[in-house]
Each structure stands twice: as structure tokens, then as C-alpha cells.
């Protein structure tokens, strides 16, 4: 079967495989192909294009600037694959190192050059940055903590809302001023990575020489090559090809903070849900999951390194589906059902190991390591998954359950696959199975066509559920989404702001009330150290709360220790407690068992 993603990847390798003296000719030929309707074949000749059989804009021109862009918007033709570089015998199909290019020796890619990286957006961007650092370090680059000392400055970007992109444009302008005024003799390259890179590749390269290299979420292996190509040829270089199978499973991340006692571990990438407001499927591609063997082994290594908490990470983490041949874990096939009353707009695939099995296997690695997961979709909470959370003391009792809207009609426009009633039924069911569970959520104010009645429905669900934590935002229209094609962003800005404030106020009232139930009780806290701003001792509990600590026991604690606490007070956002005794996770729950069933 024709694999379009693999085909484009082979085309990219082919473009990089010739001797350096041919590179300029190949770039020029590709540029001419864009204008005269021909395609550059592997031998330098031209073949006719049919629009869907050539690399889109392999080279673009903007004035005197020349950009080299690799993407998979349009697929290549058969001629592109008639001559391909041979892989070395025994080489892994998914090797951690970038492909070997004849005119770029591996040892020449970095040569001790220094890079500096700034991370914006979600935890997936943090995880991607740690993968990126492993690739760059392997290629000979060195990380610096001082942007003024860097040869390359990277911005790991987010495209989920307009404000996030505005922040990056502002930062790029600052970097340009620094390059031209403070370091004209040794101006660093600037690279834009992540979701904004895929969404705005041409604009980034054409924007007044703000950016040198653009690299999308599935192309980090190629970044050393892109930096070399930028240094020797085109004014701007981009690789934003999306992959159907890239998970970076073979790359051991380099942690941004080597002293942290908690990490996020990516287990799947991409999203198939196609919610009408969301840009993620267009910037990160379709769902694909890491094999369970590599995940469990990485968790085992993290445990040996002293990590006390691991968060399984994915755009739609609980839709995890591993179909690989496992050497240790047989496919058990449980946990494949949707939540009751939920549906999808795509055809779901059968078979494979599901998230319930993965979570169970990870929890068994180390009973002293806490396990969390984010970000899930409400449709993927079968009973088997709930039982895993209930029956494993080291799986935290906090579930992120994105609401987005409390109105059935608005949820239909959002293409969420559930109604208000189905969501509330799921909340009740989860609380019946896991009585001490807490919920966090996402809420959007002012989605396309939202009426006052629909907004009131959302506020009503906020009150009825009583979320313990919430991420609340005014709607921001994103290009290429279903909403951008079909709807109008017609809720006035002042109405969005007012509705958002009502949602925020409602959350704080209900969360403050719910958190009061912890006051006067005991709890288990994982001690994390001192806050950066005020140097206050703090940690986190199983329910996702930040807990500020006091007491003489703190003198004996180090980050990563578990401590039994007595809750003294609570706000809508945090708890304050007195540390009583250092303990272990297993010992605490033997003394204070978690409830097994009931209704919260």
C-alpha cells in the first residue's frame, strides 16, 4: 500500500543526497518547476506536474530571498523514487540519528556550536523540546542557558490561540533587534519549532528575515540537516512534513531540568477527533502510539533514576492504541469501548493494546512512583480504565475531563461527540466508581454562534459538576479548522470577555467550596521543594492540588520524599498543610486505604 508520509520522507532524503556542487542546480530546477509546471527528477531532468504529484513549493521566492521548504501538502510522483539512497545494512528503520548525507559528515553538524531554547505552550511542547535536545546533542551541539551566548536560538511555539502566536511574533522582533544592533558580527540563527512552525511556515520565512529555520513537530530528526542547509545555501529552510508513524520512541529525551522529580512521558502523538475549534490535527497530524515495550522500559529507567512521578502524555492520551508485536505484553484487548453516550466522527479501529492496559502496566513498574495522564477526551473512559485508576494506589485520583461547553447545541457545532446529559452522566458514573476523584476541565467562552442561553447552560454544568481545577479561555478562531470554514466568529469581544469572567467566577466559587472538604483531614503529599517566587515549601497531592507546607518535619525532607500532612486551610486554587511525618506511598495507603466504591 502506498504510504504517502514515507514517500515524501524519501523524497526529502533524495533532495539531500547529492553532492554539494549539485545542490544549487537542484534548488534552481525545483524553483523553475514551480513556475513552469514541471518536476525535478532524481537525475536533474524535468517531468510534467499534475498538481498533486510534486513537492509543494520546494523553493519559494520573495524578492531576493530563496526558501527551501519540505512538506507533504502535495505528494511526489513515481519518478521521485526511481533513484534512492541505500540504507546501510542493519540500520534501524527509525534510527535516532539524522540520515547520513554525503556532503555533511555527522561530526560537522554541530562542531560545538551552542543553542538556546525557549518553550511556549503545553506540556507536549516541553516533551518535544527534550526530544529536540537529544537530537541536537547527538549532532554535536551544546545547550547554553544564556541566549546572548547562542549560535542558534530556538522558539518552541504554540498555535492553539491567537495570543500565543502574537507573543512569538513579538519575541521574533526582539531577537531581530538584538541580532542587528548588539551582535551584528556574530548574529545567531533563529529557528521556529512546533505547531506555529507547521501552520505558518511561509509567513515565518518571508517575514523580514526574522527566521532562518522552520521545523514542524514530526521533523526534529532533520533539524541538524536544516541548520547545515541554511548555512550553505537558501535564505530560509523549512521541514514541516507530518508523519503517519513518527513517535520518537527510540530517542531518550534530555530533560530540561535534570533535578526535577517528576517528568512527562509522551506515549502517543496527533489527534483524530477533528473538533471544529481545534488546530491540533492540522499541526500535529493523525494519532499514532508508541509501542508498550518502549514506554514501560522508559518508565523503568526513570524509576531507577529516582523519578517519583510520571505523567503519560498525548494530545488524546486515552485513545492510545498499540498494535506492535510486544516481546513481553500480550494484547489483552480490554478497554476499547467508548464512554456511554459518546461517539466519534471517524471510524474507530479495532484491536491493539488500549490505554487501560498501558496505564496498568506502567503502574506496576514501581509502586512508589505516582502516575498521572493528560490530556484525555471524555469519550475514551471505559469502565476498564476507571477500574485501573481505582485499584492502583499510585495512579492519581485526578481526571482531566474537558467540557468545552455545557450546551448540547454548542457541543454539536464543536463536533465533540456528546451531549450535556452524556457528560453529566459520565461524571456521575466516574464518581460512583472512584468516590474520591477530582476533576479538572477546559472551557471555551464565546464559541461561534453561542447564545446567552447556551452560555447559561455552560455555567450551569460548572455549578453542577464542581470542577476542582479549570483552564478557561475566550474562543480564538484558527485558520484551517472546521469552524473557520463553516462558521462565523460572531460573538462580540466584550460579550466573550463578560461570559469568560462569569465562567471564571463560577469556577472559583465552586472550587473553593469543594476544597473546604479537605480541611481537617490527612493527606499524602509529594514534596517538590521551594517555590521560585517566595521560596515557600510545597508539594502536590494525589488530587492535583498544589499544597503549601509548614512544620518542623520539613527540615528532614528532600524533593521526591512523601510526607503525611494535615490540611489546615484551602482556597479555590491550593491547600495549606502541616507536615506530620515522612512516609512512603505504600505505607501511607496501607494505613489510610483509599475508598473502593461509593458516591462522592
Amino acid at each position: 500500500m502506498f504510504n504517502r508520509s514515507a514517500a515524501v520522507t524519501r523524497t526529502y532524503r533524495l533532495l539531500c543526497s547529492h553532492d554539494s556542487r549539485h545542490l544549487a542546480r537542484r534548488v534552481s530546477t525545483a524553483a523553475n518547476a514551480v513556475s513552469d509546471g514541471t518536476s525535478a527528477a532524481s537525475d536533474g531532468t524535468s517531468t510534467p506536474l499534475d498538481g498533486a504529484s510534486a513537492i509543494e513549493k520546494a523553493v519559494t521566492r520573495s524578492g531576493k530571498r530563496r526558501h527551501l521548504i519540505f512538506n507533504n501538502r502535495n505528494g511526489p510522483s513515481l519518478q521521485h523514487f526511481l533513484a534512492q539512497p541505500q540504507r546501510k545494512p542493519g540500520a534501524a528503520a527509525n534510527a535516532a540519528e539524522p540520515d547520513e548525507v554525503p556532503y555533511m559528515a555527522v561530526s560537522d553538524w554541530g562542531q560545538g556550536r551552542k543553542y538556546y531554547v525557549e518553550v511556549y505552550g503545553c506540556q507536549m511542547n516541553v516533551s518535544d523540546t527534550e526530544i529536540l535536545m537529544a537530537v541536537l546533542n547527538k549532532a554535536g551541539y551544546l545547550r547554553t542557558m544564556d541566549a546572548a551566548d547562542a549560535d542558534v536560538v530556538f522558539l518552541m511555539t504554540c498555535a492553539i490561540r491567537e495570543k500565543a502566536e502574537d507573543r512569538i511574533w513579538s519575541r521574533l522582533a526582539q531577537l531581530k533587534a538584538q541580532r542587528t544592533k548588539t551582535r551584528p558580527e556574530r548574529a545567531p540563527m533563529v529557528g521556529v519549532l512546533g505547531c506555529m512552525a507547521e501552520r505558518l511556515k511561509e509567513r515565518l520565512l518571508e517575514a523580514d528575515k526574522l527566521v532562518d529555520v522552520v521545523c514542524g513537530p514530526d521533523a526534529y530528526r532533520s533539524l541538524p540537516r536544516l541548520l547545515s542547509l541554511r548555512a550553505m545555501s537558501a535564505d530560509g529552510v523549512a521541514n514541516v512534513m507530518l508523519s503517519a508513524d513518527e513517535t520518537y520512541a527510540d530517542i531518550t529525551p534530555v530533560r530540561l531540568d535534570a533535578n526535577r522529580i517528576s517528568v512527562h512521558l509522551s506515549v502517543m502523538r496527533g489527534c483524530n477527533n477533528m473538533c471544529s475549534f481545534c488546530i491540533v490535527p492540522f499541526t500535529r497530524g493523525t494519532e499514532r502510539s508508541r509501542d508498550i515495550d518502549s514506554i514501560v522500559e522508559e518508565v523503568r529507567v526513570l524509576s531507577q533514576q529516582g523519578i517519583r512521578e510520571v505523567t503519560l502524555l498525548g494530545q488524546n492520551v486515552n485513545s492510545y492504541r498499540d498494535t506492535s508485536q510486544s516481546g513481553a505484553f500480550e494484547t489483552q484487548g480490554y478497554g476499547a469501548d467508548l464512554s456511554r453516550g459518546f461517539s466519534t466522527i471517524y471510524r474507530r479501529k479495532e484491536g491493539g493494546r488500549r490505554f487501560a492496559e498501558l496505564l496498568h502496566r506502567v503502574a506496576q513498574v514501581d509502586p512508589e512512583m505516582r502516575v498521572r495522564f493528560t490530556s484525555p477526551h471524555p469519550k475514551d473512559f471505559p469502565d476498564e480504565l476507571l477500574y485501573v485508576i481505582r485499584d492502583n494506589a499510585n495512579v492519581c485520583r485526578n481526571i482531566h475531563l474537558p467540557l468545552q461547553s455545557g450546551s448540547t447545541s454548542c457541543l454539536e457545532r464543536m463536533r465533540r461527540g456528546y451531549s450535556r446529559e452524556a457528560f453529566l452522566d459520565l461524571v456521575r458514573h466516574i464518581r460512583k466508581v472512584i468516590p474520591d476523584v477530582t476533576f479538572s476541565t477546559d472551557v471555551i467562552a464565546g464559541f461561534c454562534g453561542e447564545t446567552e442561553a447556551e452560555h447559561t447552560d455552560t455555567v450551569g454544568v460548572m455549578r453542577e459538576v464542581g470542577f476542582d481545577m479549570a483552564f478557561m479561555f475566550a474562543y480564538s478562531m484558527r485558520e484551517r479548522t472546521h469552524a473557520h470554514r463553516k462558521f462565523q466568529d460572531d460573538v462580540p469581544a466584550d460579550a466573550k470577555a463578560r461570559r469568560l469572567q462569569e465562567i471564571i467566577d463560577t469556577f472559583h466559587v465552586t472550587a473553593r467550596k469543594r476544597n473546604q472538604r479537605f480541611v481537617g483531614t490527612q493527606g499524602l503529599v509529594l514534596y517538590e521543594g521551594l517555590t521560585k517566587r517566595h521560596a515557600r515549601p510545597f508539594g502536590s497531592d494525589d488530587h492535583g492540588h498544589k499544597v503549601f507546607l509548614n512544620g518542623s518535619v520539613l527540615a528532614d525532607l528532600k524533593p521526591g520524599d512523601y510526607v503525611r500532612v494535615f490540611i489546615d486551610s484551602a482556597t479555590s486554587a491550593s491547600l495549606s498543610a502541616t507536615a506530620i511525618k515522612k512516609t512512603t506511598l505504600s505505607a501511607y495507603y496501607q494505613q489510610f486505604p483509599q475508598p473502593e466504591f461509593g458516591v462522592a
Side-chain angles (χ1 to χ4, degrees):
M1 181 178 294
F2 180 72
N3 186 324
R4 178 170 180 165
S5 177
V8 177
T9 302
R10 290 194 294 269
T11 300
Y12 170 59
R13 291 171 179 166
L14 183 60
L15 282 169
C16 295
S17 66
H18 280 228
D19 189 273
S20 58
R21 63 180 177 271
H22 295 305
L23 179 62
R25 177 171 60 84
R26 296 178 60 76
V27 169
S28 177
T29 302
N32 293 334
V34 173
S35 60
D36 66 15
T38 62
S39 170
S42 59
D43 60 357
T45 62
S46 296
T47 56
L49 285 177
D50 62 3
S53 62
I55 304 172
E56 177 193 355
K57 294 184 180 178
V59 177
T60 65
R61 293 185 182 275
S62 176
K64 295 182 179 180
R65 302 202 74 198
R66 183 179 60 194
H67 310 310
L68 187 61
I69 300 176
F70 305 106
N71 62 30
N72 51 359
R73 188 75 57 81
N74 294 323
S77 65
L78 178 62
Q79 282 76 12
H80 290 96
F81 312 119
L82 295 181
Q84 300 178 23
Q86 297 298 313
R87 184 178 295 277
K88 292 182 178 181
N94 198 22
E97 300 89 352
D99 291 334
E100 187 173 323
V101 180
Y103 55 84
M104 296 181 201
V106 174
S107 60
D108 293 338
W109 282 336
Q111 293 183 319
R113 295 184 181 89
K114 297 179 181 179
Y115 69 91
Y116 176 82
V117 59
E118 298 177 6
V119 187
Y120 301 82
C122 66
Q123 285 296 334
M124 184 59 78
N125 276 359
V126 174
S127 176
D128 279 4
T129 300
E130 294 176 338
I131 291 169
L132 167 81
M133 289 168 55
V135 172
L136 290 173
N137 292 358
K138 183 76 174 180
Y141 287 89
L142 302 174
R143 184 189 179 195
T144 177
M145 304 302 292
D146 183 2
D149 190 38
D151 298 292
V152 189
V153 175
F154 293 115
L155 306 183
M156 181 66 76
T157 64
C158 174
I160 198 71
R161 278 173 290 276
E162 186 175 1
K163 285 186 178 180
E165 292 185 354
D166 289 344
R167 187 178 180 189
I168 297 300
W169 286 115
S170 176
R171 179 62 176 136
L172 288 173
Q174 294 174 3
L175 289 172
K176 181 185 178 182
Q178 294 171 6
R179 294 166 77 186
T180 57
K181 295 180 181 179
T182 62
R183 289 180 56 186
E185 75 290 346
R186 194 172 67 88
M189 287 188 191
V190 174
V192 172
L193 316 172
C195 293
M196 188 172 169
E198 200 289 329
R199 199 179 89 79
L200 298 173
K201 52 261 184 193
E202 288 91 354
R203 280 185 57 191
L204 287 165
L205 291 177
E206 294 170 1
D208 197 20
K209 297 186 179 181
L210 294 179
V211 178
D212 299 285
V213 174
V214 177
C215 188
D218 291 347
Y220 298 137
R221 294 179 193 270
S222 72
L223 191 54
R225 281 195 302 275
L226 298 179
L227 293 171
S228 295
L229 286 169
R230 170 62 184 89
M232 67 186 297
S233 57
D235 287 322
V237 182
N239 184 358
V240 291
M241 292 188 295
L242 293 176
S243 170
D245 52 16
E246 178 64 271
T247 63
Y248 300 108
D250 60 321
I251 296 180
T252 301
V254 174
R255 302 300 173 188
L256 281 166
D257 184 354
N259 298 318
R260 284 191 62 84
I261 48 89
S262 62
V263 302
H264 286 74
L265 191 159
S266 177
V267 302
M268 61 86 66
R269 301 175 70 85
C271 183
N272 293 344
N273 290 318
M274 300 299 290
C275 300
S276 62
F277 55 82
C278 187
I279 192 68
V280 167
F282 303 96
T283 59
R284 288 189 172 270
T286 57
E287 293 176 7
R288 61 270 191 201
S289 300
R290 284 180 58 179
D291 63 281
I292 193 170
D293 289 339
S294 71
I295 297 170
V296 172
E297 178 58 28
E298 185 171 346
V299 172
R300 187 173 289 112
V301 170
L302 291 172
S303 173
Q304 295 169 353
Q305 294 173 348
I307 297 298
R308 293 293 83 193
E309 180 178 276
V310 60
T311 300
L312 305 182
L313 189 65
Q315 267 86 24
N316 190 21
V317 67
N318 55 339
S319 69
Y320 175 88
R321 176 177 170 270
D322 170 31
T323 58
S324 68
Q325 295 295 321
S326 171
F329 308 112
E330 294 183 2
T331 301
Q332 298 195 17
Y334 64 89
D337 295 335
L338 291 177
S339 307
R340 297 181 184 91
F342 287 69
S343 63
T344 67
I345 65 171
Y346 62 92
R347 178 176 294 180
R348 300 179 74 239
K349 296 180 179 179
E350 301 299 326
R353 302 169 193 84
R354 301 290 179 159
F355 187 68
E357 181 175 358
L358 173 66
L359 186 61
H360 171 72
R361 299 295 184 180
V362 168
Q364 302 306 303
V365 171
D366 183 353
E368 292 299 315
M369 176 187 283
R370 288 203 310 203
V371 182
R372 302 183 187 274
F373 59 91
T374 195
S375 177
H377 191 286
K379 67 178 173 59
D380 293 307
F381 277 97
D383 286 349
E384 292 85 351
L385 176 55
L386 301 181
Y387 298 153
V388 170
I389 299 171
R390 180 195 65 187
D391 297 339
N392 290 273
N394 60 334
V395 178
C396 293
R397 303 295 184 99
N398 172 251
I399 291 178
H400 188 65
L401 208 62
L403 171 65
Q404 307 302 0
S405 173
S407 162
T408 296
S409 55
C410 193
L411 288 168
E412 289 177 354
R413 293 197 301 278
M414 290 180 168
R415 304 207 299 183
R416 290 290 289 171
Y418 56 86
S419 64
R420 168 194 176 99
E421 291 73 21
F423 186 92
L424 292 173
D425 286 345
L426 178 61
V427 169
R428 298 185 192 103
H429 181 63
I430 293 175
R431 281 180 170 158
K432 183 177 180 179
V433 177
I434 312 170
D436 58 340
V437 71
T438 58
F439 291 113
S440 56
T441 195
D442 301 328
V443 184
I444 296 174
F447 182 67
C448 303
E450 185 186 65
T451 65
E452 286 296 333
E454 290 173 332
H455 166 65
T456 300
D457 283 345
T458 298
V459 173
V461 172
M462 297 283 290
R463 291 196 182 102
E464 184 168 349
V465 174
F467 294 103
D468 297 80
M469 284 150 281
F471 302 91
M472 300 157 285
F473 305 95
Y475 174 65
S476 176
M477 176 75 82
R478 301 282 77 196
E479 294 178 1
R480 297 170 59 187
T481 61
H482 178 82
H484 183 260
R485 296 192 304 269
K486 299 293 185 179
F487 303 134
Q488 296 293 320
D489 186 9
D490 53 2
V491 178
D494 58 345
K496 286 184 183 179
R498 173 180 55 80
R499 294 175 188 178
L500 176 60
Q501 191 59 53
E502 289 178 8
I503 289 171
I504 292 173
D505 293 343
T506 300
F507 162 73
H508 282 297
V509 170
T510 57
R512 187 178 298 109
K513 181 179 179 180
R514 285 190 60 80
N515 284 348
Q516 293 303 314
R517 74 191 189 279
F518 294 105
V519 176
T521 66
Q522 296 190 82
L524 180 69
V525 169
L526 178 62
Y527 180 62
E528 299 184 34
L530 305 178
T531 60
K532 292 182 179 180
R533 180 172 296 183
H534 301 297
R536 294 180 63 185
F538 79 102
S540 57
D541 66 8
D542 285 357
H543 300 102
H545 299 111
K546 176 177 282 190
V547 183
F548 295 106
L549 301 171
N550 62 78
S552 59
V553 175
L554 294 174
D556 300 324
L557 297 181
K558 65 180 184 300
D561 287 339
Y562 290 101
V563 59
R564 180 158 62 93
V565 304
F566 182 84
I567 308 299
D568 300 311
S569 62
T571 69
S572 62
S574 64
L575 308 176
S576 295
T578 299
I580 299 174
K581 180 183 178 180
K582 181 179 175 180
T583 185
T584 66
L585 190 151
S586 300
Y588 178 84
Y589 284 117
Q590 286 178 358
Q591 185 175 1
F592 304 98
Q594 296 167 310
E596 295 183 357
F597 58 88
V599 179

